[in-house]
Amino acid sequence: MNGPDTVLHSLIAGAPLPGEAEQIRATDPALGRPTGPHFTALTPDQGSLAVEAAQQAFGPYRRVSPAARAGFLRGIAEGLEGHAEQIVAAAKTETGLPQTRLTGELARTANQLRLFSEVVTEGTHHGVRIEHALPQRTPLPRPDIRQRRVPVGPVLVFGASNFPLAFSVAGGDTASALAAGAPVVFKAHNAHPLTSYLVGLVITEAAALHHLPAGVFSLVYGRGADIGQALIRHPGIRAVGFTGSRSGGTALMAAAAARPCPIPVFAEMSSVNPIILLNSALTEDPAGLAQGFVTSLTGSSGQLCTAPGLLFVPSGEAGDAFLQEVAERLGGVAGTTMLTPGICASRVEREQALAQVEGVRPVGRGQDGLTENAPAPAVYATDADTYLCTPQLSEEIFGSVCLVVRWDRPDQLRQVVDELEGQLTASLHFAENGGEDVALASDLVGRLEEVVGRILVGGWPTGVDVGDAIVHGGPFPATSDGRSTSVGATAIERWLRPVAYQDVPDWLQPVEVRDGNPLGIRARRVDGRTGR
Amino acid sequence: MNGPDTVLHSLIAGAPLPGEAEQIRATDPALGRPTGPHFTALTPDQGSLAVEAAQQAFGPYRRVSPAARAGFLRGIAEGLEGHAEQIVAAAKTETGLPQTRLTGELARTANQLRLFSEVVTEGTHHGVRIEHALPQRTPLPRPDIRQRRVPVGPVLVFGASNFPLAFSVAGGDTASALAAGAPVVFKAHNAHPLTSYLVGLVITEAAALHHLPAGVFSLVYGRGADIGQALIRHPGIRAVGFTGSRSGGTALMAAAAARPCPIPVFAEMSSVNPIILLNSALTEDPAGLAQGFVTSLTGSSGQLCTAPGLLFVPSGEAGDAFLQEVAERLGGVAGTTMLTPGICASRVEREQALAQVEGVRPVGRGQDGLTENAPAPAVYATDADTYLCTPQLSEEIFGSVCLVVRWDRPDQLRQVVDELEGQLTASLHFAENGGEDVALASDLVGRLEEVVGRILVGGWPTGVDVGDAIVHGGPFPATSDGRSTSVGATAIERWLRPVAYQDVPDWLQPVEVRDGNPLGIRARRVDGRTGR
């Protein structure tokens, strides 16, 4: 299937559809040359077939039992694991990411699908609230009113280049949307088309095996600017998920807002993930701290949405010594292949621009990698005043480039935090017996709450734990809508909206809100008390 | 304070600010002439002072204890009740709404504030989720992660003309935003400036009495198109609440989306609130049904967001007889004063256009009212085929005008429902022993779920109960974002976003997520179980 003579097609509602636009082929970024099969791209008209299939599937799919929906999600997880070797091999060639990272990412993707199968079964996401009638209430009787959430309708998802599995075809947005009862039209990322195809086949087969309407999932190939814009304008699409660049995300936001019927876009875009070291952080184990930082900066060639792009280090000797440790460790790290030649070229160009900013000086540099597109990781430094008056220094460089900002007064940190754009994460390092730092940390946490989605103490932001409480989101431009998360159990809520039922007879109520609680949902709220 | 020589000003952070733009004055719609004091309008530059005050108040206000915030909300409720006579008198003159309606609306507004004081105290809205660390987990240890919600920041609210109290200065959006911890900048509606002022004074006094930062609330007068657009572009505004026309709401949506940092807009706009009568509904008590419909249609001169603008009646003799009952009852109802001469003129013009559509015939008509701007309520009818092929017939006419659609086949109803634009409500009337109607009702409820925010069986959509489970929302164009409600306990969620805390020491955690649960929040979710 992965030879150069093979031609593969979009998977529309379970069947291949040869595209009538141009063909797409991946580039092996480690070798800098084309690889794998050709993929035919759909015209916008062809793309609408996927949406129409999703619309037809929506009614039947949202009505299948929680057990069936959970089984489907587990089936996809098992399919990924069953084809792990083939999928990881394709992803390795197409993305340049190392095998261990991709094996871990596949496991994480399968676990994420299982998490959502548990979410569906447990039922908290239905948001059930029941108020029984109070016929004697004055001045007016109270009707019987019950609330639950329904899926918004077919969802359009765009995959990310940097997580070819966990934020791609069977990634978080697909898993949470399918869990919510929303069919998914997935626009394959052109940087990993074969990986996308193999995962698309897994979902297609799981849908068939579980006797679900075929339109519950389609995988679409095409040029992003053409097919993506056409799909987002289709009236059958009711919400959009996206992980990628700020320019890509804001273009989708604008297109969604310009529709006759606007729809929500959940775009995860841009974050520099500041790390703030207070003085007391440097007293205990500066070598360990330096190692933790270098590991977080250089993993996956820095191509992680939570990679640390900004590091605040106290001025003075302890900070100097810490940066010396960073420079030494960094010197032993070789660059690894970046996802695409384009991403690498942009990163190299942005680094050069950074190096030329007045007041910015190099701190340390790793080795160039042995493949194509594997630039050396690099750290630069400036002082807080230069940082605060140079807006360019706040911008994300996608890749393993970090700017250190040397600070010497707490008010500089406060100003920096107050002027931050929205971020996915911020991390704070200090010692709990650190005297003045304790009060400063408390003050900074309060300020960071207003601009970030996740606050870490003593940790590194890369490696997002997929669970019940995680938030992977944040105010614009980290995401398009800071009220949502793209990772974790509550991600399902982005695809749901509430409906109330007033004086509906019990037999006609949705099962989620019936008096007998036939689904056994634990977290129902009945007459003001949760857990009925 | 309400004489023609009085000049009043915007209330910015507790103090009057004379506006430097033109003056505004209300019109008494029953007499068709100016009434009450003059109000100075702010220039856009002056309006930004309100936003800056809100920004300064945000940090301190979001940190006040739940008890203090709840006390503030109850204080506003008590202030409204303490000044009820004066407020209702002003509203009666400015809106033409009857005294009993306004007395009831004031009580409802106070109760709504008390509901949110309970919401704040109870704490479910914090959305607390705690996952304790699992240091032994493989392949990676699980960090300690805790989620809670924080307010988004200062909120801009535009009041509605048709609820001068419940959807105006101290209405739902203000109450839910203040409950969430978000300061409010309120743009007074120019149709009821004195009512707005009196209520604004109540909030201002309550804020002072409860020692809250003055910028927690400001009341701004100005031309909507100027000051509203200026305020929505201010970077300090983080979300917008609006109740009004589709054109007004979509203009705000576009302005918010065009900001360098886009923000969410919660606009409640347009709904025709279809009522569907199945055959069996006409067998039991057609006279009572007709009376219920006429009461729902004509109350508040039809100027309710949930007023029934579309009524589906079976063709045949029973339906004919029902409409005869409607016509007889309607004949005895006089029109009542509409909110403004402009709203009345638009309603009269739209009714004339409706009457001229081919295939539309009059069913019945009330009497013209005795005041200015009090047109007779009117009902027209057409057949399902005409309705389905005439898009104009689906549009809302704000006022007591209803279009009856005679249907004769269930597939017509299915098609009608499937082609509906988003609605706040839909109502279904049938007899539970109605044979075929039982299956048809079940089918229609499933379809209505996909287009409306509230489904009623055997009731009328006007009179929205303010409680724990209500949804007052719906897909576009009923609202800008069907994932939210503007009425009821869950309305607070529109002003909140989640933040996660990773490995934060207990003393540094927000109190909402600390292990000891110092706030005693009942609905916390800890390690996957709710109620810890």
Side-chain angles (χ1 to χ4, degrees):
Chain A
M1 180 189 284
N2 55 7
D5 298 332
T6 309
V7 179
L8 297 173
H9 311 296
S10 297
L11 296 169
I12 307 299
L17 177 68
E20 292 167 3
E22 80 286 18
Q23 295 197 351
I24 290 161
R25 205 170 169 215
T27 296
D28 180 333
L31 302 175
R33 64 183 188 209
T35 182
H38 297 258
F39 291 83
T40 64
L42 296 190
T43 64
D45 277 355
Q46 290 182 301
S48 66
L49 296 173
V51 183
E52 284 154 27
Q55 288 180 283
Q56 282 168 24
F58 177 47
Y61 180 61
R62 77 179 183 89
R63 286 177 178 80
V64 302
S65 70
R69 222 184 274 170
F72 176 37
L73 293 166
R74 285 194 305 272
I76 300 170
E78 287 157 16
L80 290 178
E81 290 163 342
H83 297 82
E85 200 175 329
Q86 197 185 5
I87 292 168
V88 167
K92 186 163 177 283
T93 304
E94 290 184 328
T95 67
L97 292 168
Q99 174 121 3
T100 48
R101 145 73 196 266
L102 290 166
T103 303
E105 188 180 332
L106 188 139
R108 173 201 164 123
T109 308
N111 286 342
Q112 184 161 260
L113 288 154
R114 290 198 176 91
L115 170 72
F116 282 110
S117 81
E118 288 163 23
V119 167
V120 167
T121 308
E122 203 243 7
T124 298
H125 68 289
H126 295 303
V128 173
R129 288 177 173 242
I130 295 173
E131 283 202 318
H132 289 101
L134 294 176
Q136 312 303 330
R137 191 185 65 174
T138 55
L140 290 170
R142 183 172 85 181
D144 180 288
I145 302 184
R146 303 175 185 219
Q147 178 179 149
R148 66 130 173 181
R149 300 196 189 117
V150 299
V152 293
V155 161
L156 173 63
V157 182
F158 293 84
S161 61
N162 63 339
F163 278 91
L165 302 171
F167 286 82
S168 192
V169 180
D173 277 339
T174 299
S176 59
L178 292 178
V184 171
V185 175
F186 198 97
K187 162 64 179 70
H189 199 290
N190 291 345
H192 54 266
L194 180 59
T195 311
S196 298
Y197 191 82
L198 296 172
V199 176
L201 280 181
V202 164
I203 302 177
T204 299
E205 283 164 15
L209 193 67
H210 288 80
H211 309 291
L212 297 173
V216 73
F217 175 79
S218 289
L219 179 67
V220 170
Y221 291 90
R223 279 201 184 282
D226 299 341
I227 194 84
Q229 289 283 331
L231 289 170
I232 205 173
R233 282 196 295 264
H234 195 294
I237 293 296
R238 311 302 302 183
V240 180
F242 169 86
T243 307
S245 68
R246 182 165 176 173
S247 60
T250 52
L252 292 179
M253 291 168 70
R259 287 167 44 120
C261 173
I263 53 174
V265 173
F266 301 98
E268 188 214 310
M269 297 180 288
S270 174
S271 185
V272 292
N273 304 297
I275 316 270
I276 301 176
L277 308 188
L278 303 188
N279 282 295
S280 60
L282 298 174
T283 56
E284 282 185 359
D285 178 18
L289 198 67
Q291 186 57 54
F293 166 69
V294 170
T295 302
S296 184
L297 173 67
T298 57
S300 299
S301 211
Q303 303 165 119
L304 301 175
C305 31
T306 55
L310 203 50
L311 175 68
F312 293 89
V313 175
S315 59
E317 283 180 21
D320 293 345
F322 167 75
L323 289 182
Q324 189 58 38
E325 295 274 5
V326 166
E328 279 170 26
R329 278 163 179 74
L330 196 63
V333 180
T336 50
T337 310
M338 294 193 75
L339 294 158
T340 70
I343 288 173
C344 180
S346 167
R347 174 233 183 273
V348 169
E349 187 185 312
R350 302 284 306 277
E351 184 195 337
Q352 285 167 350
L354 173 65
Q356 283 161 19
V357 173
E358 199 177 316
V360 170
R361 60 179 178 81
V363 166
R365 184 169 198 80
Q367 310 296 319
D368 282 331
L370 297 175
T371 62
E372 296 287 308
N373 302 305
V379 173
Y380 294 83
T382 192
D383 59 277
D385 291 334
T386 302
Y387 172 78
L388 283 164
C389 68
T390 314
Q392 174 194 348
L393 298 179
S394 305
E395 290 169 13
E396 183 187 15
I397 299 180
F398 191 68
S400 51
V401 180
C402 180
L403 178 67
V404 171
V405 178
R406 303 298 299 270
W407 64 273
D408 40 30
R409 301 187 313 276
D411 66 285
Q412 290 171 325
L413 288 180
R414 292 191 189 98
Q415 188 183 350
V416 161
V417 168
D418 290 350
E419 293 183 8
L420 278 176
E421 287 193 304
Q423 304 290 340
L424 293 171
T425 72
S427 308
L428 206 52
H429 290 254
F430 65 98
E432 286 198 53
N433 57 2
E436 289 175 356
D437 281 359
V438 169
L440 179 57
S442 180
D443 180 58
L444 292 173
V445 165
R447 291 167 192 266
L448 287 167
E449 280 172 346
E450 298 183 11
V451 282
V452 313
R454 179 164 56 111
I455 296 170
L456 298 91
V457 169
W460 306 101
T462 48
V464 182
D465 201 74
V466 181
D468 205 50
I470 191 77
V471 175
H472 191 61
F476 185 91
T479 77
S480 54
D481 183 347
R483 292 171 302 126
S484 186
T485 173
S486 62
V487 174
T490 51
I492 193 172
E493 294 174 8
R494 55 174 54 184
W495 316 119
L496 298 169
R497 67 177 179 84
V499 174
Y501 303 82
Q502 181 166 330
D503 290 334
V504 172
D506 202 58
W507 61 266
L508 188 53
Q509 301 274 17
V511 289
E512 292 80 0
V513 299
R514 284 190 196 159
D515 276 334
N517 193 9
L519 294 183
I521 299 169
R522 279 208 306 259
R524 304 206 314 176
R525 185 174 160 95
V526 180
D527 295 326
R529 296 295 300 261
T530 298
R532 304 295 177 90
Chain B
M1 180 186 289
N2 54 8
D5 299 331
T6 309
V7 179
L8 297 173
H9 310 295
S10 297
L11 296 168
I12 307 300
L17 177 68
E20 294 168 3
E22 80 285 21
Q23 295 197 352
I24 289 161
R25 205 172 169 213
T27 297
D28 179 333
L31 303 174
R33 65 184 187 208
T35 183
H38 296 259
F39 291 82
T40 64
L42 297 191
T43 63
D45 276 354
Q46 291 183 300
S48 66
L49 296 173
V51 182
E52 285 154 26
Q55 287 179 284
Q56 282 169 23
F58 176 49
Y61 180 61
R62 77 179 183 90
R63 286 177 178 80
V64 302
S65 70
R69 222 184 275 169
F72 176 39
L73 294 166
R74 285 194 305 271
I76 300 170
E78 286 157 18
L80 290 178
E81 289 164 342
H83 298 82
E85 199 174 328
Q86 197 186 6
I87 292 168
V88 166
K92 186 162 178 282
T93 303
E94 291 185 327
T95 67
L97 291 168
Q99 174 120 3
T100 48
R101 145 73 197 266
L102 290 166
T103 303
E105 189 180 330
L106 188 137
R108 172 201 164 121
T109 308
N111 286 340
Q112 185 162 259
L113 288 154
R114 290 197 176 91
L115 170 72
F116 281 111
S117 80
E118 289 164 22
V119 167
V120 167
T121 308
E122 203 243 7
T124 299
H125 68 289
H126 295 303
V128 173
R129 287 177 172 240
I130 295 173
E131 282 201 317
H132 289 100
L134 295 176
Q136 312 304 329
R137 191 184 66 172
T138 55
L140 290 170
R142 183 171 86 181
D144 180 290
I145 302 185
R146 304 177 183 217
Q147 179 179 148
R148 66 130 173 182
R149 299 197 189 114
V150 299
V152 291
V155 161
L156 172 64
V157 182
F158 294 83
S161 60
N162 62 339
F163 279 91
L165 303 171
F167 286 82
S168 193
V169 180
D173 276 339
T174 299
S176 59
L178 292 178
V184 170
V185 175
F186 198 96
K187 161 65 179 70
H189 200 290
N190 291 345
H192 54 267
L194 179 59
T195 311
S196 298
Y197 191 81
L198 297 171
V199 176
L201 281 181
V202 164
I203 301 177
T204 299
E205 284 165 13
L209 193 67
H210 288 79
H211 309 290
L212 297 173
V216 72
F217 175 78
S218 290
L219 179 67
V220 169
Y221 291 89
R223 281 201 186 281
D226 299 341
I227 193 85
Q229 288 284 330
L231 289 169
I232 204 173
R233 281 195 296 264
H234 194 295
I237 292 296
R238 310 303 302 183
V240 181
F242 169 87
T243 308
S245 69
R246 183 166 176 172
S247 60
T250 52
L252 293 179
M253 291 168 69
R259 285 167 47 119
C261 174
I263 52 174
V265 173
F266 301 98
E268 188 214 310
M269 297 180 287
S270 172
S271 184
V272 294
N273 303 297
I275 315 270
I276 301 175
L277 308 187
L278 304 188
N279 282 294
S280 58
L282 299 173
T283 55
E284 282 185 358
D285 178 17
L289 199 68
Q291 186 58 53
F293 166 69
V294 169
T295 301
S296 184
L297 174 66
T298 58
S300 300
S301 211
Q303 302 165 121
L304 301 174
C305 31
T306 55
L310 202 50
L311 175 67
F312 292 89
V313 176
S315 60
E317 284 180 17
D320 293 346
F322 167 76
L323 289 182
Q324 190 58 38
E325 295 273 6
V326 167
E328 280 171 22
R329 278 162 178 75
L330 196 64
V333 179
T336 49
T337 310
M338 294 191 76
L339 294 159
T340 70
I343 288 174
C344 181
S346 167
R347 174 233 183 272
V348 169
E349 188 185 309
R350 303 283 308 274
E351 183 193 338
Q352 285 167 351
L354 173 65
Q356 282 161 21
V357 173
E358 199 177 315
V360 170
R361 61 181 177 78
V363 167
R365 184 169 199 83
Q367 310 295 319
D368 282 331
L370 298 175
T371 63
E372 297 286 308
N373 302 307
V379 174
Y380 293 82
T382 191
D383 60 275
D385 291 336
T386 301
Y387 171 78
L388 282 165
C389 68
T390 315
Q392 175 194 348
L393 298 179
S394 303
E395 290 169 13
E396 182 187 14
I397 299 180
F398 191 68
S400 52
V401 180
C402 181
L403 178 66
V404 171
V405 178
R406 305 297 300 269
W407 65 274
D408 38 31
R409 301 185 315 277
D411 65 284
Q412 291 172 324
L413 288 180
R414 293 192 190 99
Q415 187 183 350
V416 161
V417 168
D418 291 348
E419 293 183 9
L420 278 176
E421 286 191 305
Q423 304 289 339
L424 293 171
T425 73
S427 309
L428 206 53
H429 290 255
F430 65 98
E432 286 199 54
N433 58 2
E436 289 174 356
D437 281 0
V438 169
L440 179 57
S442 180
D443 179 57
L444 291 174
V445 165
R447 291 166 191 266
L448 287 168
E449 280 172 346
E450 297 182 11
V451 282
V452 313
R454 180 165 55 113
I455 297 170
L456 299 91
V457 169
W460 306 101
T462 48
V464 181
D465 201 73
V466 180
D468 204 49
I470 192 75
V471 175
H472 191 62
F476 184 91
T479 77
S480 54
D481 184 345
R483 290 170 304 128
S484 186
T485 174
S486 61
V487 174
T490 51
I492 194 172
E493 294 173 10
R494 55 174 54 185
W495 316 119
L496 298 168
R497 67 177 179 83
V499 174
Y501 303 82
Q502 182 166 329
D503 290 334
V504 173
D506 202 58
W507 61 267
L508 189 53
Q509 301 275 15
V511 289
E512 292 80 0
V513 299
R514 284 190 197 159
D515 276 335
N517 194 8
L519 295 183
I521 299 169
R522 278 208 307 259
R524 303 206 315 176
R525 184 174 162 94
V526 181
D527 294 326
R529 296 294 300 261
T530 298
R532 302 296 176 89

